[in-house]
Amino acid sequence: MKKALTSVGFAGLSEREADERLAFDGFNELPSARGRSIFVTAWEVVREPMLLLLVACGAVYLVIGDVQEALMLLGFVFVVMGLTLYQERKTENALEALRDLSSPRALVVRDGVEKRIAGRDVVEGDIVIVNEGDRVPADAVLLSCLNLSVDESLLTGESVPVRKSDDEPAGNGVHPGGDDLPFIFSGTLVVQGQGIARVIATGVRSEIGKIGKVLQSVEHEETLLQQETRGWVRHLAFAGLSLCVLVIVWYSFARSDILQGILAGITLAMAILPEELPVVLMIFLALGAWRMSKKQVLARRMPAIETLGSATVLCVDKTGTLTMNRMRVSRLFAGGEAVAIGPDLQGSLPEVFHELIEYSILASQLDPFDPMEQAIKQTGSDYLRESEHLHHDWTLVHEYPLSKELLSLSRVWKSSDGGEYVIAAKGAPEAIIDLCHCEADEIARLSTHIGAMAEKGLRVLGVARALSQKPILPDKQHDFVFEFIGLVGLADPVRPTVPSAIAECYSAGIRVIMITGDYSGTARNIARQIGLNGADRVLTGAEVESMTELELKEKINEVNVFARVVPEQKLRLVKALKANGEIVAMTGDGVNDAPALKAANIGIAMGGRGTDVARESASLVLLDDDFSSIVAAVSMGRRIFDNIRKAIAYIFAIHIPIAGMLLIPVLFHFPLVLLPAHIAFLELIIDPACSIVFEAEQEEKDVMRRRPRNSREPLFSRQTVAVSIMQGVIVLGVVLGVFLYSLNRGDSESEVRALTFTTLIFSNLALILTNRSWSGTSLATLRCSNYALLPLLFGAVLLLAIVLYVPFFVRLFKFSSLHPPDLVLCLLAGAGSVLWFEALKWFGFFRKTTQTG
């Protein structure tokens, strides 16, 4: 029968010793990051200049008596505070998730008795027993094991489970990864066999604990957009408040009217203070996050959405990101023939391979946990269903486990008719060849096929069979007369959408780098399959470790494939790229990826197969684990940046004529044209225009055919600011011209105000239309869908008609009704204020800038 380990002979610690060690070393868990109280976090949020500006604007509205507008702004402040507080608390959950993963329940031997305890109570020196399907509770050295294989992918990135041995360690240190080592590690998964081990490290001293400590030390950085917007808000707020004070003083002394001076100063401050900037940023990112969720991308940190559009390098983890993280039979060799298993295989599997699959299944567990055995069983289900080659009614009689001396295992079966014993063996090809006592020429022929499979990055298994009629089974596998059947090549297949996604990244000017813990040959083969540039040039983790920071910064510009990389080295690679000025996006799904995910400008975790630690450390999560979703996210990020830039260009432009028509009458003793009510009315158009219309704008046609914007290029570039100022100045000139024309023809103050205000409204609408695109004319963009544009235009015209022709509002706004010729004059003046910009777009003046981003 199948052998089993027993804990007999292992007394373990006494309960008293365990309690003493627990008191001295602490629980077997990772400590949470020192949490900040909600009040401390709230105070940090309140001190943000963006929120302070909104509070100041709300206070201004309260001063002028516009309670409704004040309450709306202050309510928005509390909403933003709530969202920010929630997001701040969520980002602290990575260590909590890591602690939960590192502390499963454990079967230990205490006082000579097996007992199951909470993983957090395991101490150094405990004897632990692990079986197939168990999470390892702590780092330990094996005292005894039977056919033990462990999935260490969450620590190493290797897709294939590693074989364990209870031999004495060779003195190369305790580290995950590699076959026939006597160490098992906290948080890893036993996929086959059993083991008894002595705990050597718990909590923060374990390998997973070391990752937790690195993760705790990595801080998220502000995005360039956040830093830049913060600076502009601060400068413009200072300028607005300074002008407000100057206007109050000037007006009070020049006209000896303090109340009117205060009113003029407050109105000017309202016109200059860029209250829309933080609103635009928040709304664009929030709606961008919502749009991304529709594409199966969850944004955990909203500012990263815009940054993703600026990414210059995408660091890709292989296992579970480029590949399915699920083994699959890829190639078979039997009877001198080879066949590739996959979508291209038409019809049924050729007969010569049926026996190979049959004995591969017989050499595996009935209900396998090992991913390679699962793949073999799936192949049998796909190609041998309802055939005589599947034996559900056979009985397992005995099992010969895999050992270090012979890397093969055999299972002995008794058929349902009670005939002879059938022995199925599988294992390393060299071991199976040895079992079969193959001749030299056959060994040479098989070695050629084994090498060809290995060159394709496949994990190769040999399969053999034997028959026996002896009632007593021998002690060793070598005592059977085995016949070689064939070879099975298994692979962790590439996701079907990856090659096209990689190609689109290249067309978007994004460099792709593979960083994996797997072997160089496997990494090289996967790189070739996905079309990675420089796939044949591989740098190993050991080579990275031997480099200085300066050498690594130079080398990382030349190499796109990094293999056998440990977590600390992944972090070094990300930091080296950032030191070279790159905007780094990093994908991953394992615990081993968490520090690099957190350190990257944009961390992208897999939501389905990814660990909680990876998801909590990342900025974005791919809900469907589809790598191609990254491309959609990049496109969305670029669209968001483009639209933010358009909205801000419009905000700068429209504030110039508003501020100018407030300041010029004060300086030159003209009647005040704009009053607080007029500014509030304008905000009814400006706010939805910049926060909804521009957000809903579709992406430019070339958005994924241009290079990422330079990381040192500001959002408020010189050209953007210069064009915006020019737009605003020309609109101001047109509006001022209409104002002076009305004064010169002898209109009353109310008529002058109505004519000037109406011209400003039409100019405002013209600015919205012309800034929808800096590469296409307004007439061309009218054919592009924007669900918010028409409601805004019609709403603005309707509101204008109400304040011009409904008596109550005419009195409130201190207007006079306009005659049709005056309305035509205002409309033509407003449209004419942007004709120069339309002409520049027509001649392609901005096309080069748009394409280069």
Side-chain angles (χ1 to χ4, degrees), residues 16 26 39 129 153 181 210 242 253 380 441 517 672 691 810:
R16 180 178 176 181
F39 299 106
I129 302 170
S153 61
L181 295 176
K210 294 174 184 176
S242 300
F253 278 100
D441 58 340
L672 290 179
S691 59
V810 171

Side-chain angles (χ1 to χ4, degrees), residues 439-724:
E439 300 292 336
D441 58 340
E442 186 178 6
I443 293 174
R445 180 172 58 85
L446 290 174
S447 296
T448 302
H449 292 286
I450 294 168
M453 285 187 174
E455 182 65 23
K456 295 179 182 295
L458 304 181
R459 181 77 171 234
V460 185
L461 296 176
V463 180
R465 68 176 174 189
L467 302 174
S468 177
Q469 296 180 340
K470 297 179 181 179
I472 300 177
L473 296 173
D475 294 330
K476 298 183 298 183
Q477 298 180 64
H478 265 295
D479 293 333
F480 293 106
V481 179
F482 279 100
E483 174 191 355
F484 187 87
I485 298 179
L487 302 170
V488 178
L490 298 106
D492 184 5
V494 168
R495 294 180 181 273
T497 56
V498 167
S500 60
I502 294 289
E504 196 159 359
C505 285
Y506 286 146
S507 71
I510 301 172
R511 179 185 172 199
V512 183
I513 297 176
M514 181 199 296
I515 304 177
T516 178
D518 222 329
Y519 292 94
S520 299
T522 305
R524 184 181 293 109
N525 182 262
I526 294 294
R528 290 170 181 164
Q529 290 184 51
I530 64 176
L532 202 67
N533 290 342
D536 293 325
R537 188 169 185 181
V538 181
L539 204 62
T540 65
E543 292 171 316
V544 170
E545 191 65 29
S546 65
M547 293 181 182
T548 65
E549 298 300 328
L550 185 59
E551 290 171 335
L552 183 58
K553 283 176 61 178
E554 294 176 356
K555 201 71 174 179
I556 206 167
N557 291 324
E558 305 168 2
V559 181
N560 292 329
V561 183
F562 294 84
R564 303 301 289 168
V565 175
V566 299
E568 293 82 1
Q569 293 160 355
K570 286 187 179 185
L571 188 58
R572 278 193 70 196
L573 292 172
V574 169
K575 289 182 175 179
L577 287 165
K578 290 173 69 176
N580 284 342
E582 306 285 2
I583 302 297
V584 183
M586 168 79 187
T587 70
D589 65 345
V591 175
N592 61 314
D593 300 319
L597 286 173
K598 194 171 182 182
N601 298 99
I602 316 103
I604 308 170
M606 297 295 153
R609 293 185 175 273
T611 61
D612 287 343
V613 182
R615 288 192 290 268
E616 292 293 340
S617 301
S619 305
L620 304 175
V621 179
L622 303 185
L623 299 177
D624 57 359
D625 286 6
D626 190 345
F627 182 80
S628 63
S629 297
I630 296 175
V631 178
V634 170
S635 176
M636 182 67 69
R638 292 187 175 189
R639 166 187 166 175
I640 289 170
F641 176 80
D642 283 350
N643 289 347
I644 288 176
R645 186 166 57 181
K646 293 171 185 176
I648 289 175
Y650 161 72
I651 290 169
F652 278 3
I654 191 58
H655 275 271
I656 290 174
I658 295 173
M661 291 310 298
L662 282 163
L663 196 57
I664 290 172
V666 171
L667 295 177
F668 296 97
H669 298 278
F670 292 133
L672 290 179
V673 178
L674 298 180
L675 302 174
H678 303 137
I679 304 299
F681 181 92
L682 283 165
E683 291 297 330
L684 291 177
I685 302 174
I686 296 172
D687 286 348
C690 62
S691 59
I692 298 177
V693 172
F694 286 109
E695 193 284 328
E697 199 62 42
Q698 298 298 313
E699 65 270 10
E700 303 279 351
K701 292 180 180 179
D702 65 340
V703 70
M704 290 301 287
R705 295 195 301 272
R706 39 168 130 137
R707 297 189 60 80
R709 75 180 179 105
N710 191 318
S711 61
R712 297 176 182 84
E713 177 194 342
L715 170 66
F716 305 89
S717 65
R718 289 183 179 178
Q719 185 189 48
T720 300
V721 173
V723 172
S724 298

Side-chain angles (χ1 to χ4, degrees), residues 763-781:
S763 298
N764 184 13
L765 298 180
L767 281 174
I768 294 171
L769 291 173
T770 198
N771 279 291
R772 288 182 65 200
S773 173
W774 280 24
S775 58
T777 63
S778 296
L779 291 176
T781 56

Side-chain angles (χ1 to χ4, degrees), residues 401-468:
L402 180 144
S403 65
K404 188 175 181 180
E405 291 75 26
L406 185 63
L407 299 179
S408 71
L409 58 86
S410 297
R411 288 186 169 88
V412 182
W413 297 86
K414 191 75 170 179
S415 64
S416 56
D417 59 10
E420 59 190 351
Y421 292 111
V422 177
I423 301 95
K426 70 173 171 61
E430 297 79 8
I432 297 299
I433 290 172
D434 182 42
L435 276 179
C436 296
H437 305 289
C438 296
E439 300 292 336
D441 58 340
E442 186 178 6
I443 293 174
R445 180 172 58 85
L446 290 174
S447 296
T448 302
H449 292 286
I450 294 168
M453 285 187 174
E455 182 65 23
K456 295 179 182 295
L458 304 181
R459 181 77 171 234
V460 185
L461 296 176
V463 180
R465 68 176 174 189
L467 302 174
S468 177

